[in-house]
Amino acid sequence: MGRSQLTTTDKINRLTNQQLGDFRRSLMNLTERRAFDQLFAVAKNNRLAISQANDLLPIDAAQMIMLIDLQRQVDLLQQRLDEKDK
Amino acid sequence: MNTVDGWLLQTYLNDDQGMTVWLIDAVTEERHMFHLELTVTFYAAGPFPRLRQLWRFLQAQPTRVVLSRQKHTELFAGNIDLLAIDVDVAQQKKLFQQILSEFPELTYYNADVLPALQITSKYNVFPLAHCRLTTHNGTILQIESLDNPWEIEYELPPLRLLYVEPAGDPFHAIPATITVQADRQYTLNVEPTDMLLKRMRAIINRFDPDLIVTAHGDSWLFPHLMGHCQEQGIESFNPCRDAEKQPLVKDPMSYHTYGQILYRASQTYLFGRLHIDAKNLTQIYESGLTGIFEQSRMTGLPLQDGARKSPGAGFSAMQVVTALREEVLVPFRKAQAERPKTARQLLRADQGGLIGQPKLGIHYGAIEFDFISMYPAIITNFNVSPETVFKTGDNSSFVPQLGYSVDLSREGLIPKTLRPLVKKRIGLKALLTQIDKRDCRYQELKQKNNAQKSLQTIAFGYMGHKHFKYTQIEVHESITAYSREAMLLTKEILEEAGFETIHLYVDGIYFKKDVIPDEAELDRLQDKILQATGLPIGNEGIYKWIIFLPSKEDPLASVPNRYFGVFANGELKIRGIEARTRDTPPFIKQAQLAVIETLAAVPFGQTLPPHLPKALAVFRGFVDKLRSCQMAAESLIITQVLTRDVADYKVNTRVARAAQQLEAAGKVLSKGMRIRYVLTRGEPGVMAWDAPAEVRPEQIDVPLYLDRLVAAGHTVFQMFGISQPILRDYLLHQTVQLPLPYGGSHTPKFW
């Protein structure tokens, strides 16, 4: 446990609750807000990787994880399409 | 001259000169008291003119001292010039206090070493050590050790134990009787106190115990008896064997440690025999005396101190003994400051162990590997010590992620201190896996294992602790960096072997694959991990099932330390849920555990959902019991720590209200004390359990307890898709049908 750093959980909570709190509230419809929450759920469930990205800002590391998860889902869908085509 | 073989029971300072040593004769079993002359040396360093003034100051003192100029090794600065002061051990503390007030700016070494540790380092003996004394006219001429603290199994002396236990917690109400177990059992009335005193004196005199084990002896029994003598002006109650000494009573205190506030009751130390209060022990020793004996043998700390102090004090003592033996100076005050770092360096370095987020849900056939004594193994295997980090020698290595250099050409002080402990623990763990759990040695070995574990664990934490003599934060950072690297390497090896990692937690890793691997495959994996990381890893076992739970606040987010599961051998592992948390009433703990045990009985290889109705029926039994008030009020006690003085509570919380009731009843409270209360109907909503008024069943706030009980049930059932409102309806009203996913393998909806 660090002595002077916020925990990764705190860093992500700060992003969602403070820095991007109004951003989330300003999203015009429910599906967008749900998508926002799902993306940050991905970040929260990958705090270990974010904690090891010491040279990045928390928002950058969180976005990187979101991109990786989206790519993973694209791969999964692609795989299903390929299986269907066979 | 005489020679006596025996076990060292106790050593302590005399008032004027030397020390007293108590020995249990190995042949006659007599208890001998000897005198030991012991001269100790402490040092002062600083500008030569001031050292000369100190020399003249000491020559003018009535205390007899021998002064000399010497050079010795300071851990960080190398050889330094010192003024060495040889003085009788009994005079040292008083003399040093005088020097410190006259010459506060000088640097001192070996000035606050406990006398017992001086004996340990000089003669290689320790509490309960088997040894041989050569004596003349009651004075010890020579001490020869016949024992080794690093033996796993050893012979203990034939101690005469006296157990004293009051009939009830004296904080709750003055007990009517106390039970004394000596050569036979006695039940003594507490009132009249004169009679109790007389009988206690008679039993102690006749039975002549070596060790008095009490319940509440520190906080109540001894202060009560000694206070009574003082009030009545009668002969004082003296349970010491050494008639020249009176018991030493230390005042109660509250203190902060690792973010917690703790309370320590007053302490009564005896001379010539020992006193241990089973209710005033460091928590890790609550399981028995074996752990206390083991800890004292390894650390050299006197038994009465070791039982009451934290493992940190034990580790600190071990490191002082190593320093004395290696002739390295022990600083009076720590002097090393943190090295300057850039913000980026700080971000990289200021981290703990690797903590992952588990994959939520139920996992069947998962395996857990744990690094064996990970941090101590890192310290010893990679030679991480305050004087080796940032040093380069003929043979150096670099800390992963941080790049700090580590000198491997000489063994560091901390690795040297820990190495025998690590070796002993590995041997002990191997023995524990070999012997049957029904073996009479098993419980004793487990207690020894716990005592060793706490010393090893603290060894890492102490590297950055303000009380540690050689503390250096970069050592702390290096150890965690090595651990993170080892965990990442392990994860990669497991993934390469076709496993999926489902959780990582500091020194433990959970993984699985579709087919359960055999022992040979797991052995190969362990070898591969050892090769890659340089650290031994153990196989904790295969789980029948393990359930990782989400955060209470966010059901989508997994948290590292909320899970429960059962190994193939039936052993439970529970972390972070109600059954483990201290503020859960026993009744609710019992209910949750009963449900988990029902699920634990499901045979290996079967899925859980078909067995849920049985588990729900067990849980419903507890709900019905609570609704009809069939449980004992005592099982509903909630225990919470008083984190501040009662008057300082700004919000009138339950614990504050309970504490107010206790104060009104005349009880003296301090921060860190545990307050027990029961939730009751109406105002003020709580009743302090230790207040004089008894809790009647009709006063209990059953609906509030039901809420907590249902929440505890939900913790267990939530990953089967059962929400808390539905569970509540089902249990209380039976108006809903549970969405039980019967049959087949069940996958929670999160994945």
Side-chain angles (χ1 to χ4, degrees):
Chain A
M1 192 175 294
R3 296 157 293 138
S4 48
Q5 290 197 58
L6 284 178
T7 64
T8 311
T9 310
D10 288 341
K11 285 177 190 168
I12 297 173
N13 284 343
R14 188 176 277 198
L15 273 176
T16 52
N17 300 340
Q18 294 174 20
Q19 293 165 348
L20 294 176
D22 288 340
F23 171 85
R24 183 185 176 282
R25 290 170 61 207
S26 314
L27 292 170
M28 291 305 283
N29 59 53
L30 187 64
T31 51
E32 285 166 350
R33 288 200 290 279
R34 195 173 289 154
F36 177 97
D37 292 343
Q38 281 170 346
L39 284 173
F40 272 96
V42 171
K44 282 180 186 173
N45 285 326
N46 285 281
R47 298 190 296 270
L48 171 62
I50 295 174
S51 75
Q52 297 304 297
N54 295 305
D55 293 350
L56 298 185
L57 290 170
I59 183 70
D60 293 339
Q63 286 182 82
M64 196 71 210
I65 281 294
M66 292 167 191
L67 273 175
I68 289 169
D69 194 65
L70 288 173
Q71 181 62 42
R72 185 179 65 86
Q73 291 187 41
V74 169
D75 288 348
L76 216 70
L77 292 171
Q78 183 65 53
Q79 199 182 330
R80 282 191 194 167
L81 277 176
D82 292 348
E83 277 166 12
K84 245 185 175 178
D85 288 345
K86 273 181 193 170
Chain B
M1 278 203 303
N2 288 325
T3 306
V4 197
D5 281 8
W7 288 274
L8 199 65
L9 179 67
Q10 195 184 19
T11 59
Y12 50 86
L13 284 180
N14 291 334
D15 293 336
D16 49 356
Q17 201 179 0
M19 295 183 74
T20 294
V21 175
W22 282 90
L23 189 86
I24 300 177
D25 196 311
V27 181
T28 63
E29 292 194 12
E30 281 177 272
R31 275 62 180 161
H32 301 294
M33 182 170 89
F34 294 110
H35 178 77
L36 174 70
E37 291 289 331
L38 183 67
T39 300
V40 293
T41 309
F42 66 103
Y43 306 92
F48 287 130
R50 285 296 279 163
L51 289 180
R52 272 196 295 278
Q53 286 171 355
L54 173 59
W55 187 299
R56 283 194 288 274
F57 172 81
L58 286 167
Q59 281 179 324
Q61 297 303 312
T63 310
R64 213 173 139 253
V65 291
V66 176
L67 304 173
S68 57
R69 272 185 64 176
Q70 296 183 11
K71 268 183 187 274
H72 281 286
T73 311
E74 207 270 352
L75 198 63
F76 299 97
N79 272 2
I80 56 170
D81 285 303
L82 300 152
L83 167 59
I85 305 150
D86 293 354
V87 62
D88 180 87
V89 66
Q91 303 294 329
Q92 191 268 339
K93 191 174 176 183
K94 195 174 148 200
L95 180 67
F96 175 60
Q97 291 304 328
Q98 282 176 312
I99 296 174
L100 195 61
S101 61
E102 292 291 326
F103 301 87
E105 79 286 9
L106 293 179
T107 308
Y108 297 97
Y109 298 97
N110 298 21
D112 58 347
V113 176
L114 283 178
L117 300 183
Q118 299 274 14
I119 293 182
T120 299
S121 69
K122 188 168 179 185
Y123 299 108
N124 205 20
V125 290
F126 38 86
L128 304 184
H130 194 202
C131 57
R132 179 169 296 150
L133 305 186
T134 309
T135 65
H136 181 66
N137 286 342
T139 298
I140 296 171
L141 303 178
Q142 182 55 36
I143 303 176
E144 184 190 347
S145 176
L146 306 172
D147 209 338
N148 179 358
W150 308 116
E151 294 285 342
I152 294 171
E153 294 181 275
Y154 43 82
E155 191 186 356
L156 283 171
L159 290 173
R160 283 200 288 263
L161 299 177
L162 181 87
Y163 293 94
V164 185
E165 187 172 8
D169 183 348
F171 188 70
H172 183 63
I174 298 295
T177 59
I178 60 172
T179 306
V180 181
Q181 179 74 48
D183 45 347
R184 65 186 183 86
Q185 187 169 306
Y186 307 83
T187 303
L188 312 180
N189 288 328
V190 170
E191 295 293 342
T193 313
D194 286 340
M195 187 56 76
L196 176 67
L197 268 169
K198 203 172 164 184
R199 296 198 67 189
M200 281 297 291
R201 279 192 186 117
I203 293 169
I204 291 173
N205 286 341
R206 194 178 66 250
F207 184 63
D208 190 21
D210 301 306
L211 172 58
I212 302 178
V213 183
T214 62
H216 310 288
D218 274 343
S219 57
W220 174 72
L221 182 66
F222 286 131
H224 173 67
L225 294 177
M226 291 187 287
H228 178 79
C229 295
Q230 216 168 8
E231 276 169 26
Q232 302 295 316
I234 55 177
E235 184 198 345
S236 66
F237 173 68
N238 186 2
C240 296
R241 187 183 263 148
D242 184 343
E244 302 290 310
K245 304 280 275 189
Q246 286 292 322
L248 171 69
V249 179
K250 293 189 181 175
D251 290 336
M253 63 183 282
S254 303
Y255 59 100
H256 279 274
T257 179
Y258 293 100
Q260 281 184 305
I261 183 151
L262 299 176
Y263 171 76
R264 195 197 68 191
S266 68
Q267 303 178 340
T268 308
Y269 288 69
L270 305 183
F271 298 93
R273 63 170 56 101
L274 312 167
H275 168 230
I276 291 173
D277 180 349
K279 301 287 181 189
N280 198 22
L281 295 177
T282 301
Q283 201 186 353
I284 55 153
Y285 302 127
E286 281 172 0
S287 56
L289 290 174
T290 309
I292 298 172
F293 295 163
E294 172 75 354
Q295 181 272 152
S296 273
R297 283 174 56 92
M298 291 186 299
T299 62
L301 274 185
L303 274 163
Q304 297 186 102
D305 290 281
R308 293 170 171 94
K309 286 188 174 169
S310 71
F315 178 68
S316 195
M318 285 172 70
Q319 151 246 310
V320 166
V321 170
T322 310
L324 291 175
R325 285 187 183 144
E326 296 293 315
E327 297 190 350
V328 171
L329 296 167
V330 180
F332 172 60
R333 290 192 180 111
K334 92 166 187 100
Q336 303 80 245
E338 182 170 358
R339 287 178 174 238
K341 290 183 182 76
T342 64
R344 180 158 287 177
Q345 283 168 335
L346 184 68
L347 283 172
R348 279 186 174 279
D350 184 22
Q351 294 188 58
L354 209 62
I355 296 177
Q357 289 70 51
K359 299 208 163 146
L360 287 176
I362 311 163
H363 302 273
Y364 297 100
I367 300 146
E368 183 185 349
F369 275 4
D370 273 4
F371 280 99
I372 301 169
S373 307
M374 187 190 219
Y375 287 159
I378 288 172
I379 293 169
T380 52
N381 292 7
F382 302 115
N383 201 33
V384 186
S385 194
E387 78 280 25
T388 59
V389 174
F390 287 119
K391 290 277 186 320
T392 43
D394 302 337
N395 184 11
S396 301
S397 69
F398 293 91
V399 178
Q401 299 186 5
L402 308 182
Y404 301 163
S405 61
V406 181
D407 182 6
L408 301 177
S409 55
R410 56 181 176 140
E411 187 173 33
L413 189 73
I414 307 304
K416 200 168 270 181
T417 307
L418 274 176
R419 192 172 298 284
L421 183 59
V422 172
K423 195 175 159 203
K424 183 175 182 177
R425 178 127 192 269
I426 289 172
L428 181 61
K429 279 194 106 173
L431 185 60
L432 273 169
T433 54
Q434 283 163 18
I435 64 171
D436 194 284
K437 281 189 177 174
R438 289 164 297 181
D439 191 309
C440 60
R441 295 173 298 164
Y442 188 82
Q443 285 307 324
E444 275 198 2
L445 291 173
K446 280 286 266 189
Q447 285 183 32
K448 287 180 184 176
N449 183 44
N450 288 344
Q452 292 170 17
K453 186 179 177 183
S454 62
L455 281 175
Q456 289 193 355
T457 309
I458 208 75
F460 155 71
Y462 239 42
M463 294 297 148
H465 196 278
K466 62 180 178 183
H467 288 152
F468 187 55
K469 294 280 186 189
Y470 305 106
T471 188
Q472 198 184 41
I473 198 68
E474 286 81 4
V475 175
H476 194 278
E477 293 167 354
S478 303
I479 296 166
T480 55
Y482 274 114
S483 82
R484 292 193 298 274
E485 183 64 18
M487 289 294 280
L488 289 176
L489 280 170
T490 306
K491 178 175 162 288
E492 284 159 8
I493 289 168
L494 292 171
E495 282 166 358
E496 201 178 296
F499 290 93
E500 180 195 4
T501 307
I502 53 175
H503 190 28
L504 295 157
Y505 195 83
V506 185
D507 60 351
I509 187 158
Y510 301 72
F511 55 98
K512 67 173 187 182
K513 68 176 175 183
D514 296 340
V515 184
I516 294 185
D518 57 20
E519 284 290 321
E521 186 180 354
L522 293 177
D523 286 348
R524 280 196 300 278
L525 274 173
Q526 283 168 264
D527 285 344
K528 206 168 175 185
I529 294 167
L530 173 63
Q531 295 292 325
T533 62
L535 301 170
I537 196 162
N539 177 4
E540 287 294 296
I542 299 184
Y543 285 92
K544 284 184 187 178
W545 51 263
I546 185 164
I547 299 177
F548 290 109
L549 299 169
S551 153
K552 278 185 183 173
E553 284 78 33
D554 183 352
L556 287 178
S558 70
V559 284
N561 218 7
R562 249 186 120 227
Y563 59 88
F564 58 98
V566 58
F567 286 104
N569 66 4
E571 196 181 320
L572 295 177
K573 183 152 187 179
I574 301 174
R575 296 288 182 272
I577 63 172
E578 289 85 349
R580 281 280 295 226
T581 48
R582 283 186 186 163
D583 61 348
T584 308
F587 181 78
I588 294 175
K589 278 188 183 180
Q590 202 190 339
Q592 196 179 52
L593 261 179
V595 175
I596 294 173
E597 279 165 1
T598 308
L599 295 175
V602 174
F604 189 87
Q606 287 191 20
T607 54
L608 295 180
H611 301 271
L612 287 180
K614 195 176 169 190
L616 281 159
V618 169
F619 194 63
R620 189 200 292 278
F622 282 90
V623 172
D624 292 345
K625 216 171 169 181
L626 180 61
R627 292 176 86 183
S628 53
C629 270
Q630 284 175 18
M631 70 292 133
E634 205 164 351
S635 69
L636 297 178
I637 292 174
I638 298 170
T639 307
Q640 270 187 285
V641 172
L642 198 64
T643 53
R644 60 201 78 192
D645 290 326
V646 182
D648 292 343
Y649 273 90
K650 291 194 176 74
V651 180
N652 208 11
T653 59
R654 286 175 180 151
V655 69
R657 279 175 271 160
Q660 286 158 9
Q661 291 170 13
L662 290 171
E663 281 202 333
K667 312 257 179 188
V668 181
L669 301 181
S670 294
K671 285 183 281 188
M673 274 183 147
R674 293 185 189 285
I675 304 296
R676 304 189 292 176
Y677 63 85
V678 175
L679 301 175
T680 51
R681 287 170 184 275
E683 289 298 323
V686 295
M687 273 182 80
W689 183 256
D690 295 308
E694 258 191 43
V695 180
R696 295 192 308 277
E698 65 270 22
Q699 289 176 295
I700 293 169
D701 194 335
V702 174
L704 264 183
Y705 279 106
L706 270 174
D707 286 347
R708 292 189 69 163
L709 183 60
V710 172
H714 177 247
T715 301
V716 179
F717 294 117
Q718 63 180 310
M719 298 317 282
F720 299 98
I722 301 172
S723 71
Q724 194 162 329
I726 296 241
L727 180 68
R728 190 183 172 84
D729 268 1
Y730 174 77
L731 292 167
L732 302 185
H733 314 302
Q734 284 184 281
T735 53
V736 292
Q737 192 175 12
L738 288 181
L740 295 180
Y742 286 101
S745 63
H746 169 65
T747 310
K749 57 186 172 187
F750 301 103
W751 300 102

